[in-house]
Amino acid sequence: LAALAKEVYTIEIVAPLAQRARGTLSSLGYRNIHVRTGNGYLAWPEHAPFSRIIVTAAPEDIPQALVEQLAVGGRMILPVGPTAGDQELRILTKSENGITTVGSLPVRFVPMVKPPPG
């Protein structure tokens, strides 16, 4: 993605994995990838709107914060569904009139961790 986009923002909930990713990406010379330790459900509002969002863990429902942070004309691809059930890779496109969702194919991803209540 770093070769295709001006800037890449990635969120990792497990702090040691985020730290390792920062170190690895830096040692490989990537300067346009920004790693945040945090919860993907909340996205990264300080840098929104995003033209593309790729989610690599499955929420049971599409997180509203991600939809809100997607730019008009933007696309998001994410697995959606329960941990112990059918998941589907979906492609969302945001327009001035709302969101268009296309189910793509059955998948199995690790669950996306919800933020604590409150």
Side-chain angles (χ1 to χ4, degrees):
L1 290 175
L4 298 173
K6 182 177 177 183
E7 301 291 329
V8 175
Y9 296 89
T10 183
I11 303 170
E12 172 55 54
I13 196 165
V14 179
L17 292 178
Q19 187 60 35
R20 184 174 176 186
R22 277 186 207 96
T24 299
L25 293 165
S26 177
S27 72
L28 292 171
Y30 291 104
R31 303 290 178 253
N32 64 333
I33 302 176
H34 311 280
V35 180
R36 174 185 220 166
T37 303
N39 194 297
Y41 263 90
L42 306 175
W44 203 330
E46 303 86 76
H47 294 286
F50 298 103
S51 59
R52 302 290 186 266
I53 298 175
I54 301 170
V55 180
T56 58
E60 289 193 15
D61 297 301
I62 299 167
Q64 188 58 37
L66 292 175
V67 173
E68 291 170 3
Q69 292 178 41
L70 187 61
V72 171
R75 289 191 177 162
M76 175 169 34
I77 185 168
L78 74 163
V80 179
T83 302
D86 295 331
Q87 295 176 353
E88 181 180 54
L89 195 64
R90 295 187 189 169
I91 301 167
L92 283 70
T93 304
K94 189 172 190 177
S95 71
E96 292 285 346
N97 299 322
I99 297 290
T100 303
T101 305
V102 176
S104 180
L105 61 124
V107 294
R108 176 69 60 189
F109 280 73
V110 297
M112 191 173 192
V113 178
K114 286 188 177 183

